[in-house]
């Protein structure tokens, strides 16, 4: 059971990146999916979450209006626009069951996003 995140890289402030997360070993179509990030010296924080059907989405206040989460079968994406240096972090995708209170059980390995000023 694996989640594989990709798409990170170095970009200038104001630029865009699209992260992808692919599942293998099992299907995550019945799971709620999320993107998290962790900057050096900071705790991991949730960036965006999307439910099974894609009609319920939550974003961290810091990325609202700039980031868009979407999903298609066993893939989940994070379109990141108007990137800022503060967005620099390792980004992780994760999956959890949809029942309220369920913890994220499956995690990808992370992909590094670096935004230069």
């Amino acid at each position: 059971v694996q989640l594989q995140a990709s798409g990170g890289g170095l970009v200038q402030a104001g630029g865009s990146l699209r992260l992808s997360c692919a599942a293998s070993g099992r299907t995550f179509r019945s799971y709620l999916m999320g993107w998290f990030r962790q900057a050096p010296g900071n705790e991991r924080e949730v960036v965006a979450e999307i439910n099974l059907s894609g009609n319920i989405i939550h974003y961290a206040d810091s990325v609202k209006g700039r980031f868009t989460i979407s999903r298609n079968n066993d893939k989940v994406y994070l379109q990141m626009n108007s990137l800022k240096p503060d967005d620099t972090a390792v980004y992780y995708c994760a999956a959890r069951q949809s029942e309220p209170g369920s913890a994220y059980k499956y995690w990808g390995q992370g992909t590094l996003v670096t935004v230069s000023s």
Side-chain angles (χ1 to χ4, degrees), residues 35-37 45-49 58-61 63 67 78 91:
W35 284 99
F36 292 74
R37 67 185 181 186
E45 62 177 355
V46 61
V47 174
E49 297 178 289
H58 299 110
Y59 294 100
D61 288 343
V63 306
F67 290 11
L78 187 67
Y91 284 71

Side-chain angles (χ1 to χ4, degrees), residues 46-67:
V46 61
V47 174
E49 297 178 289
I50 186 167
N51 71 336
L52 279 62
S53 58
N55 64 341
I56 299 177
I57 296 173
H58 299 110
Y59 294 100
D61 288 343
S62 58
V63 306
K64 283 180 180 177
R66 300 187 298 119
F67 290 11

Side-chain angles (χ1 to χ4, degrees), residues 22 70 76 100 102 105:
S70 61
V76 63
S102 295
K105 182 177 180 181

Side-chain angles (χ1 to χ4, degrees), residues 5-108:
S6 62
L10 174 63
V11 64
Q12 289 187 334
S16 298
L17 283 174
R18 188 190 193 210
L19 306 184
S20 299
C21 178
S24 63
R26 69 174 298 150
T27 179
F28 286 93
R29 300 181 186 185
S30 62
Y31 282 68
L32 186 148
M33 303 295 292
W35 284 99
F36 292 74
R37 67 185 181 186
Q38 186 168 18
N42 291 356
E43 294 186 353
R44 186 167 55 193
E45 62 177 355
V46 61
V47 174
E49 297 178 289
I50 186 167
N51 71 336
L52 279 62
S53 58
N55 64 341
I56 299 177
I57 296 173
H58 299 110
Y59 294 100
D61 288 343
S62 58
V63 306
K64 283 180 180 177
R66 300 187 298 119
F67 290 11
T68 303
I69 188 172
S70 61
R71 67 185 300 167
N72 180 14
N73 294 328
D74 276 322
K75 289 188 176 181
V76 63
Y77 305 95
L78 187 67
Q79 177 66 43
M80 306 186 295
N81 298 328
S82 302
L83 282 162
K84 305 175 181 180
D86 285 348
D87 295 319
T88 295
V90 177
Y91 284 71
Y92 301 88
C93 59
R96 68 172 177 88
Q97 294 185 343
S98 59
E99 289 79 8
S102 295
Y104 279 92
K105 182 177 180 181
Y106 302 101
W107 292 86

